[in-house]
Short mmCIF file of all heavy atoms in Angstrom, two decimals:
data_model
loop_
_atom_site.label_atom_id
_atom_site.label_comp_id
_atom_site.label_asym_id
_atom_site.label_seq_id
_atom_site.Cartn_x
_atom_site.Cartn_y
_atom_site.Cartn_z
N VAL J 161 -24.83 7.66 6.72
CA VAL J 161 -24.10 8.93 6.36
C VAL J 161 -22.88 8.58 5.42
O VAL J 161 -22.23 9.47 4.97
CB VAL J 161 -23.53 9.62 7.63
CG1 VAL J 161 -24.62 9.90 8.64
CG2 VAL J 161 -22.33 8.77 8.24
N LEU J 162 -22.69 7.26 5.25
CA LEU J 162 -21.47 6.85 4.43
C LEU J 162 -21.51 7.48 3.08
O LEU J 162 -20.41 7.99 2.67
CB LEU J 162 -21.38 5.30 4.44
CG LEU J 162 -20.17 4.74 3.77
CD1 LEU J 162 -18.89 5.28 4.46
CD2 LEU J 162 -20.24 3.21 3.95
N ASP J 163 -22.57 7.35 2.37
CA ASP J 163 -22.53 7.79 0.97
C ASP J 163 -22.25 9.28 0.95
O ASP J 163 -21.44 9.74 0.05
CB ASP J 163 -23.99 7.49 0.44
CG ASP J 163 -23.94 7.40 -1.20
OD1 ASP J 163 -22.89 7.66 -1.78
OD2 ASP J 163 -25.04 7.00 -1.76
N ASP J 164 -22.80 10.03 1.76
CA ASP J 164 -22.72 11.56 1.78
C ASP J 164 -21.29 11.94 2.10
O ASP J 164 -20.72 12.79 1.43
CB ASP J 164 -23.68 12.14 2.66
CG ASP J 164 -25.15 12.07 2.19
OD1 ASP J 164 -25.29 12.00 1.01
OD2 ASP J 164 -26.03 12.10 3.00
N ILE J 165 -20.61 11.29 3.10
CA ILE J 165 -19.32 11.74 3.50
C ILE J 165 -18.25 11.37 2.43
O ILE J 165 -17.36 12.27 2.30
CB ILE J 165 -18.99 11.32 4.93
CG1 ILE J 165 -18.90 9.83 5.02
CG2 ILE J 165 -19.81 11.85 6.04
CD1 ILE J 165 -18.45 9.22 6.31
N VAL J 166 -18.36 10.22 1.78
CA VAL J 166 -17.32 9.95 0.91
C VAL J 166 -17.48 10.67 -0.35
O VAL J 166 -16.51 11.01 -1.10
CB VAL J 166 -17.27 8.39 0.69
CG1 VAL J 166 -16.82 7.66 1.82
CG2 VAL J 166 -18.64 7.95 0.05
N ASN J 167 -18.72 10.96 -0.77
CA ASN J 167 -18.88 11.85 -1.98
C ASN J 167 -18.48 13.22 -1.75
O ASN J 167 -17.80 13.85 -2.65
CB ASN J 167 -20.33 11.75 -2.35
CG ASN J 167 -20.79 10.54 -3.05
OD1 ASN J 167 -20.00 10.00 -3.80
ND2 ASN J 167 -22.02 10.06 -2.84
N PHE J 168 -18.67 13.72 -0.51
CA PHE J 168 -18.23 15.03 -0.13
C PHE J 168 -16.74 15.17 -0.16
O PHE J 168 -16.19 16.12 -0.58
CB PHE J 168 -18.80 15.46 1.32
CG PHE J 168 -18.27 16.89 1.70
CD1 PHE J 168 -19.00 17.91 1.41
CD2 PHE J 168 -17.19 16.96 2.57
CE1 PHE J 168 -18.68 19.20 1.83
CE2 PHE J 168 -16.79 18.15 3.00
CZ PHE J 168 -17.52 19.35 2.63
N ALA J 169 -16.02 14.19 0.44
CA ALA J 169 -14.59 14.11 0.38
C ALA J 169 -14.09 14.01 -1.07
O ALA J 169 -13.13 14.76 -1.36
CB ALA J 169 -14.14 12.81 1.17
N LYS J 170 -14.69 13.22 -1.88
CA LYS J 170 -14.21 13.21 -3.31
C LYS J 170 -14.35 14.48 -3.95
O LYS J 170 -13.45 15.02 -4.62
CB LYS J 170 -14.96 12.16 -4.02
CG LYS J 170 -14.62 12.03 -5.52
CD LYS J 170 -15.40 10.86 -6.17
CE LYS J 170 -14.86 10.66 -7.60
NZ LYS J 170 -15.70 9.71 -8.33
N GLU J 171 -15.48 15.15 -3.65
CA GLU J 171 -15.72 16.58 -4.38
C GLU J 171 -14.81 17.58 -3.88
O GLU J 171 -14.53 18.60 -4.63
CB GLU J 171 -17.27 17.03 -4.00
CG GLU J 171 -18.31 16.23 -4.84
CD GLU J 171 -19.65 16.40 -4.22
OE1 GLU J 171 -19.81 17.20 -3.23
OE2 GLU J 171 -20.57 15.71 -4.63
N ASN J 172 -14.20 17.36 -2.81
CA ASN J 172 -13.36 18.36 -2.16
C ASN J 172 -11.85 17.83 -2.16
O ASN J 172 -10.98 18.50 -1.46
CB ASN J 172 -13.80 18.72 -0.75
CG ASN J 172 -14.98 19.68 -0.63
OD1 ASN J 172 -14.94 20.75 -0.89
ND2 ASN J 172 -16.13 18.98 -0.45
N ASN J 173 -11.55 16.83 -3.03
CA ASN J 173 -10.27 16.44 -3.17
C ASN J 173 -9.50 15.93 -1.94
O ASN J 173 -8.30 15.99 -1.74
CB ASN J 173 -9.29 17.51 -3.81
CG ASN J 173 -9.88 17.88 -5.23
OD1 ASN J 173 -10.16 17.10 -6.10
ND2 ASN J 173 -9.96 19.17 -5.51
N THR J 174 -10.31 15.38 -1.03
CA THR J 174 -9.81 14.63 0.06
C THR J 174 -9.57 13.19 -0.13
O THR J 174 -10.51 12.55 -0.60
CB THR J 174 -10.79 14.83 1.40
OG1 THR J 174 -10.91 16.30 1.60
CG2 THR J 174 -10.15 14.22 2.61
N PHE J 175 -8.43 12.82 -0.01
CA PHE J 175 -8.07 11.34 -0.18
C PHE J 175 -8.93 10.50 0.76
O PHE J 175 -9.01 10.78 1.92
CB PHE J 175 -6.49 11.19 0.06
CG PHE J 175 -5.89 10.02 -0.41
CD1 PHE J 175 -5.38 10.17 -1.75
CD2 PHE J 175 -5.81 8.81 0.31
CE1 PHE J 175 -4.68 9.04 -2.26
CE2 PHE J 175 -5.18 7.74 -0.41
CZ PHE J 175 -4.60 7.82 -1.64
N VAL J 176 -9.48 9.42 0.27
CA VAL J 176 -10.31 8.47 1.08
C VAL J 176 -9.67 7.10 1.16
O VAL J 176 -9.37 6.52 0.14
CB VAL J 176 -11.72 8.36 0.42
CG1 VAL J 176 -12.47 7.33 1.17
CG2 VAL J 176 -12.46 9.73 0.48
N CYS J 177 -9.60 6.59 2.41
CA CYS J 177 -9.36 5.20 2.67
C CYS J 177 -10.46 4.59 3.25
O CYS J 177 -10.99 5.02 4.49
CB CYS J 177 -8.07 5.05 3.63
SG CYS J 177 -7.63 3.36 4.01
N PHE J 178 -11.08 3.60 2.74
CA PHE J 178 -12.28 2.95 3.10
C PHE J 178 -12.05 1.58 3.61
O PHE J 178 -11.73 0.65 2.90
CB PHE J 178 -13.35 2.96 1.96
CG PHE J 178 -14.65 2.33 2.23
CD1 PHE J 178 -15.36 2.57 3.35
CD2 PHE J 178 -15.10 1.30 1.34
CE1 PHE J 178 -16.49 2.00 3.62
CE2 PHE J 178 -16.28 0.68 1.63
CZ PHE J 178 -16.98 1.05 2.71
N ASN J 179 -12.44 1.39 4.90
CA ASN J 179 -12.35 0.04 5.52
C ASN J 179 -13.82 -0.46 5.55
O ASN J 179 -14.58 -0.10 6.49
CB ASN J 179 -11.68 0.14 6.85
CG ASN J 179 -11.33 -1.30 7.43
OD1 ASN J 179 -11.86 -2.36 6.84
ND2 ASN J 179 -10.74 -1.33 8.58
N ALA J 180 -14.18 -1.36 4.70
CA ALA J 180 -15.53 -1.76 4.58
C ALA J 180 -15.94 -2.59 5.81
O ALA J 180 -15.14 -3.35 6.28
CB ALA J 180 -15.80 -2.63 3.34
N GLY J 181 -17.13 -2.39 6.30
CA GLY J 181 -17.61 -3.15 7.38
C GLY J 181 -18.81 -3.88 6.97
O GLY J 181 -19.41 -3.86 5.85
N SER J 182 -19.26 -4.86 7.89
CA SER J 182 -20.38 -5.76 7.51
C SER J 182 -21.61 -5.18 7.09
O SER J 182 -22.46 -5.60 6.33
CB SER J 182 -20.56 -6.77 8.66
OG SER J 182 -20.92 -6.15 9.82
N THR J 183 -21.98 -3.99 7.83
CA THR J 183 -23.25 -3.33 7.53
C THR J 183 -23.31 -2.80 6.02
O THR J 183 -24.29 -3.00 5.40
CB THR J 183 -23.46 -2.01 8.48
OG1 THR J 183 -23.46 -2.60 9.80
CG2 THR J 183 -24.80 -1.46 8.13
N SER J 184 -22.22 -2.22 5.62
CA SER J 184 -22.15 -1.75 4.17
C SER J 184 -22.15 -3.03 3.24
O SER J 184 -22.82 -2.98 2.24
CB SER J 184 -20.85 -0.96 3.95
OG SER J 184 -20.83 0.12 4.82
N ILE J 185 -21.41 -4.08 3.59
CA ILE J 185 -21.32 -5.16 2.71
C ILE J 185 -22.72 -5.85 2.48
O ILE J 185 -23.06 -6.33 1.41
CB ILE J 185 -20.29 -6.26 3.26
CG1 ILE J 185 -18.87 -5.54 3.10
CG2 ILE J 185 -20.42 -7.50 2.56
CD1 ILE J 185 -17.85 -6.30 3.74
N LYS J 186 -23.48 -5.91 3.60
CA LYS J 186 -24.80 -6.55 3.62
C LYS J 186 -25.82 -5.87 2.76
O LYS J 186 -26.82 -6.42 2.33
CB LYS J 186 -25.26 -6.83 5.06
CG LYS J 186 -24.56 -7.86 5.80
CD LYS J 186 -25.00 -8.01 7.29
CE LYS J 186 -24.22 -9.08 7.98
NZ LYS J 186 -24.66 -9.10 9.42
N LYS J 187 -25.54 -4.62 2.53
CA LYS J 187 -26.41 -3.90 1.52
C LYS J 187 -26.24 -4.32 0.08
O LYS J 187 -27.08 -3.96 -0.68
CB LYS J 187 -26.21 -2.36 1.69
CG LYS J 187 -26.71 -1.86 3.00
CD LYS J 187 -26.57 -0.36 3.09
CE LYS J 187 -27.13 0.21 4.36
NZ LYS J 187 -27.16 1.72 4.34
N GLY J 188 -25.25 -5.18 -0.22
CA GLY J 188 -25.18 -5.60 -1.52
C GLY J 188 -24.01 -4.87 -2.35
O GLY J 188 -23.66 -3.80 -1.96
N PHE J 189 -23.59 -5.55 -3.30
CA PHE J 189 -22.45 -5.02 -3.94
C PHE J 189 -22.70 -3.74 -4.80
O PHE J 189 -21.82 -2.85 -4.97
CB PHE J 189 -21.85 -6.08 -4.98
CG PHE J 189 -20.55 -5.68 -5.47
CD1 PHE J 189 -19.31 -5.74 -4.71
CD2 PHE J 189 -20.35 -5.31 -6.89
CE1 PHE J 189 -18.17 -5.28 -5.31
CE2 PHE J 189 -19.10 -4.85 -7.45
CZ PHE J 189 -18.15 -5.02 -6.61
N ASN J 190 -23.89 -3.58 -5.27
CA ASN J 190 -24.29 -2.36 -6.07
C ASN J 190 -24.19 -1.15 -5.09
O ASN J 190 -23.72 -0.04 -5.53
CB ASN J 190 -25.70 -2.48 -6.61
CG ASN J 190 -25.74 -3.36 -7.78
OD1 ASN J 190 -24.70 -3.69 -8.44
ND2 ASN J 190 -26.94 -3.93 -8.09
N PHE J 191 -24.62 -1.39 -3.81
CA PHE J 191 -24.47 -0.12 -2.93
C PHE J 191 -23.02 -0.03 -2.62
O PHE J 191 -22.42 1.13 -2.62
CB PHE J 191 -25.12 -0.47 -1.61
CG PHE J 191 -24.89 0.50 -0.50
CD1 PHE J 191 -25.42 1.72 -0.47
CD2 PHE J 191 -23.85 0.11 0.50
CE1 PHE J 191 -25.17 2.60 0.66
CE2 PHE J 191 -23.60 1.03 1.48
CZ PHE J 191 -24.25 2.30 1.61
N LEU J 192 -22.33 -1.02 -2.27
CA LEU J 192 -20.89 -0.98 -1.91
C LEU J 192 -20.05 -0.47 -3.04
O LEU J 192 -19.10 0.38 -2.83
CB LEU J 192 -20.29 -2.40 -1.59
CG LEU J 192 -19.03 -2.55 -0.76
CD1 LEU J 192 -19.13 -1.88 0.52
CD2 LEU J 192 -18.60 -3.97 -0.78
N LYS J 193 -20.35 -0.72 -4.29
CA LYS J 193 -19.55 -0.30 -5.52
C LYS J 193 -19.57 1.27 -5.55
O LYS J 193 -18.59 1.82 -5.80
CB LYS J 193 -20.21 -0.83 -6.73
CG LYS J 193 -19.46 -0.59 -8.03
CD LYS J 193 -20.09 -1.27 -9.16
CE LYS J 193 -19.24 -0.99 -10.45
NZ LYS J 193 -19.87 -1.72 -11.60
N LYS J 194 -20.77 1.86 -5.19
CA LYS J 194 -20.82 3.32 -5.20
C LYS J 194 -19.79 3.88 -4.10
O LYS J 194 -19.15 4.91 -4.50
CB LYS J 194 -22.21 3.81 -4.94
CG LYS J 194 -23.27 3.43 -5.90
CD LYS J 194 -24.52 4.21 -5.60
CE LYS J 194 -25.16 3.71 -4.40
NZ LYS J 194 -26.39 4.47 -3.99
N ILE J 195 -19.70 3.31 -2.94
CA ILE J 195 -18.81 3.73 -1.94
C ILE J 195 -17.44 3.58 -2.39
O ILE J 195 -16.50 4.46 -2.26
CB ILE J 195 -19.08 3.14 -0.65
CG1 ILE J 195 -20.63 3.26 -0.18
CG2 ILE J 195 -18.25 3.71 0.43
CD1 ILE J 195 -20.98 4.70 -0.20
N ILE J 196 -17.10 2.32 -2.88
CA ILE J 196 -15.80 1.96 -3.20
C ILE J 196 -15.15 2.91 -4.33
O ILE J 196 -14.01 3.21 -4.29
CB ILE J 196 -15.68 0.44 -3.69
CG1 ILE J 196 -15.87 -0.46 -2.43
CG2 ILE J 196 -14.35 0.13 -4.26
CD1 ILE J 196 -16.16 -1.95 -2.91
N SER J 197 -16.00 3.28 -5.20
CA SER J 197 -15.53 4.02 -6.42
C SER J 197 -14.97 5.45 -5.97
O SER J 197 -14.22 6.04 -6.67
CB SER J 197 -16.74 4.24 -7.38
OG SER J 197 -17.70 5.11 -6.87
N THR J 198 -15.33 5.87 -4.80
CA THR J 198 -14.82 7.12 -4.38
C THR J 198 -13.48 7.04 -3.61
O THR J 198 -12.87 8.11 -3.26
CB THR J 198 -15.87 7.85 -3.39
OG1 THR J 198 -15.93 7.02 -2.17
CG2 THR J 198 -17.18 7.97 -3.91
N ALA J 199 -13.10 5.81 -3.22
CA ALA J 199 -11.85 5.67 -2.28
C ALA J 199 -10.74 5.28 -3.19
O ALA J 199 -10.71 4.51 -4.08
CB ALA J 199 -12.22 4.64 -1.34
N GLN J 200 -9.61 5.95 -2.76
CA GLN J 200 -8.34 5.56 -3.35
C GLN J 200 -7.70 4.25 -2.87
O GLN J 200 -7.00 3.59 -3.48
CB GLN J 200 -7.27 6.73 -3.12
CG GLN J 200 -7.55 7.92 -4.05
CD GLN J 200 -8.52 8.82 -3.45
OE1 GLN J 200 -9.08 8.72 -2.49
NE2 GLN J 200 -8.91 9.86 -4.34
N ILE J 201 -8.06 3.93 -1.54
CA ILE J 201 -7.64 2.69 -0.88
C ILE J 201 -8.87 2.10 -0.34
O ILE J 201 -9.65 2.70 0.41
CB ILE J 201 -6.64 3.04 0.23
CG1 ILE J 201 -5.43 3.75 -0.32
CG2 ILE J 201 -6.11 1.66 0.81
CD1 ILE J 201 -4.43 4.26 0.76
N VAL J 202 -9.00 0.73 -0.57
CA VAL J 202 -9.99 -0.07 -0.04
C VAL J 202 -9.42 -1.28 0.71
O VAL J 202 -8.72 -1.92 0.18
CB VAL J 202 -11.03 -0.45 -1.09
CG1 VAL J 202 -12.21 -1.36 -0.46
CG2 VAL J 202 -11.65 0.73 -1.83
N VAL J 203 -9.90 -1.45 1.90
CA VAL J 203 -9.28 -2.46 2.81
C VAL J 203 -10.45 -3.38 3.28
O VAL J 203 -11.36 -2.88 3.87
CB VAL J 203 -8.43 -2.03 3.89
CG1 VAL J 203 -7.84 -3.19 4.60
CG2 VAL J 203 -7.42 -0.99 3.48
N MET J 204 -10.31 -4.73 3.08
CA MET J 204 -11.23 -5.71 3.61
C MET J 204 -10.40 -6.87 4.12
O MET J 204 -9.27 -7.15 3.69
CB MET J 204 -12.24 -6.14 2.62
CG MET J 204 -13.11 -5.19 2.00
SD MET J 204 -14.21 -6.09 0.73
CE MET J 204 -14.96 -4.62 -0.05
N ASN J 205 -11.09 -7.70 4.95
CA ASN J 205 -10.50 -9.12 5.16
C ASN J 205 -11.08 -9.98 4.23
O ASN J 205 -12.04 -9.61 3.40
CB ASN J 205 -10.59 -9.52 6.65
CG ASN J 205 -12.11 -9.61 7.07
OD1 ASN J 205 -12.87 -10.18 6.30
ND2 ASN J 205 -12.39 -9.21 8.33
N LYS J 206 -10.48 -11.20 4.16
CA LYS J 206 -10.96 -12.19 3.06
C LYS J 206 -12.30 -12.52 3.23
O LYS J 206 -13.03 -12.65 2.16
CB LYS J 206 -10.04 -13.38 3.16
CG LYS J 206 -10.27 -14.44 2.05
CD LYS J 206 -9.30 -15.56 1.95
CE LYS J 206 -9.78 -16.48 3.07
NZ LYS J 206 -8.94 -17.79 2.96
N GLU J 207 -12.82 -12.76 4.49
CA GLU J 207 -14.23 -13.15 4.68
C GLU J 207 -15.18 -11.98 4.14
O GLU J 207 -16.21 -12.33 3.54
CB GLU J 207 -14.51 -13.32 6.07
CG GLU J 207 -13.81 -14.66 6.68
CD GLU J 207 -12.29 -14.50 6.74
OE1 GLU J 207 -11.86 -13.35 7.04
OE2 GLU J 207 -11.66 -15.57 6.71
N GLU J 208 -14.81 -10.82 4.37
CA GLU J 208 -15.64 -9.67 3.98
C GLU J 208 -15.61 -9.51 2.48
O GLU J 208 -16.65 -9.20 1.81
CB GLU J 208 -15.03 -8.30 4.62
CG GLU J 208 -15.34 -8.16 6.15
CD GLU J 208 -14.50 -7.06 6.77
OE1 GLU J 208 -13.56 -6.60 6.10
OE2 GLU J 208 -14.92 -6.64 7.88
N ALA J 209 -14.43 -9.76 1.89
CA ALA J 209 -14.33 -9.66 0.42
C ALA J 209 -15.28 -10.77 -0.34
O ALA J 209 -15.83 -10.59 -1.27
CB ALA J 209 -12.92 -9.80 -0.02
N ILE J 210 -15.20 -12.04 0.29
CA ILE J 210 -16.05 -12.97 -0.18
C ILE J 210 -17.52 -12.68 -0.11
O ILE J 210 -18.29 -12.78 -1.10
CB ILE J 210 -15.73 -14.41 0.56
CG1 ILE J 210 -14.36 -14.88 0.18
CG2 ILE J 210 -16.77 -15.43 0.19
CD1 ILE J 210 -13.92 -15.95 1.01
N MET J 211 -17.93 -12.02 1.00
CA MET J 211 -19.28 -11.79 1.22
C MET J 211 -19.61 -10.64 0.23
O MET J 211 -20.79 -10.58 -0.40
CB MET J 211 -19.49 -11.20 2.62
CG MET J 211 -20.95 -10.98 3.13
SD MET J 211 -21.09 -10.16 4.69
CE MET J 211 -20.06 -11.14 5.77
N ALA J 212 -18.82 -9.71 0.04
CA ALA J 212 -19.05 -8.62 -0.78
C ALA J 212 -19.30 -8.86 -2.32
O ALA J 212 -20.13 -8.33 -2.96
CB ALA J 212 -17.96 -7.50 -0.70
N THR J 213 -18.40 -9.81 -2.68
CA THR J 213 -18.43 -10.15 -4.12
C THR J 213 -19.25 -11.41 -4.51
O THR J 213 -19.62 -11.58 -5.67
CB THR J 213 -16.99 -10.36 -4.67
OG1 THR J 213 -16.34 -11.51 -3.92
CG2 THR J 213 -16.13 -9.05 -4.51
N GLY J 214 -19.48 -12.28 -3.53
CA GLY J 214 -20.19 -13.51 -3.83
C GLY J 214 -19.24 -14.57 -4.45
O GLY J 214 -19.65 -15.58 -4.87
N VAL J 215 -17.95 -14.33 -4.59
CA VAL J 215 -17.04 -15.22 -5.23
C VAL J 215 -16.41 -16.09 -4.01
O VAL J 215 -15.86 -15.66 -3.03
CB VAL J 215 -15.80 -14.45 -5.90
CG1 VAL J 215 -14.77 -15.52 -6.45
CG2 VAL J 215 -16.33 -13.51 -7.03
N GLN J 216 -16.47 -17.44 -4.09
CA GLN J 216 -16.13 -18.30 -3.07
C GLN J 216 -14.63 -18.80 -3.43
O GLN J 216 -14.17 -18.88 -4.65
CB GLN J 216 -17.04 -19.56 -3.03
CG GLN J 216 -18.35 -19.23 -2.57
CD GLN J 216 -18.44 -18.63 -1.18
OE1 GLN J 216 -17.83 -19.12 -0.32
NE2 GLN J 216 -19.31 -17.54 -1.09
N ILE J 217 -13.90 -18.95 -2.35
CA ILE J 217 -12.56 -19.41 -2.52
C ILE J 217 -12.49 -21.00 -2.40
O ILE J 217 -12.82 -21.59 -1.38
CB ILE J 217 -11.67 -19.01 -1.36
CG1 ILE J 217 -11.62 -17.49 -1.33
CG2 ILE J 217 -10.29 -19.45 -1.53
CD1 ILE J 217 -10.99 -16.78 -2.41
N ARG J 218 -12.27 -21.59 -3.57
CA ARG J 218 -12.44 -23.08 -3.67
C ARG J 218 -11.20 -23.84 -2.92
O ARG J 218 -10.03 -23.38 -3.00
CB ARG J 218 -12.34 -23.45 -5.16
CG ARG J 218 -13.61 -23.18 -5.94
CD ARG J 218 -13.32 -23.28 -7.38
NE ARG J 218 -12.47 -22.38 -7.86
CZ ARG J 218 -11.98 -22.39 -9.15
NH1 ARG J 218 -12.31 -23.32 -10.06
NH2 ARG J 218 -11.17 -21.43 -9.52
N PRO J 219 -11.49 -24.82 -2.11
CA PRO J 219 -10.54 -25.57 -1.52
C PRO J 219 -9.77 -26.46 -2.45
O PRO J 219 -10.19 -26.71 -3.64
CB PRO J 219 -11.18 -26.39 -0.48
CG PRO J 219 -12.56 -26.60 -1.05
CD PRO J 219 -12.83 -25.34 -1.93
N ASP J 220 -8.57 -26.91 -2.04
CA ASP J 220 -7.84 -27.95 -2.88
C ASP J 220 -8.67 -29.23 -3.16
O ASP J 220 -9.47 -29.56 -2.26
CB ASP J 220 -6.58 -28.42 -2.07
CG ASP J 220 -5.43 -27.20 -2.27
OD1 ASP J 220 -5.72 -26.19 -2.99
OD2 ASP J 220 -4.41 -27.38 -1.52
#
Side-chain angles (χ1 to χ4, degrees):
V161 308
L162 184 55
D163 206 353
D164 290 331
I165 61 173
V166 295
N167 283 325
F168 179 85
K170 182 179 180 181
E171 291 167 1
N172 288 278
N173 298 315
T174 300
F175 201 89
V176 176
C177 179
F178 175 51
N179 187 353
S182 58
T183 300
S184 300
I185 292 170
K186 288 176 181 177
K187 288 188 174 183
F189 190 73
N190 287 337
F191 169 82
L192 194 65
K193 185 176 180 179
K194 292 190 299 181
I195 308 301
I196 289 173
S197 66
T198 65
Q200 284 80 8
I201 304 171
V202 179
V203 183
M204 300 182 190
N205 63 41
K206 187 176 75 172
E207 291 72 26
E208 291 166 341
I210 291 171
M211 188 190 310
T213 61
V215 178
Q216 297 299 315
I217 304 293
R218 290 167 292 175
D220 285 353

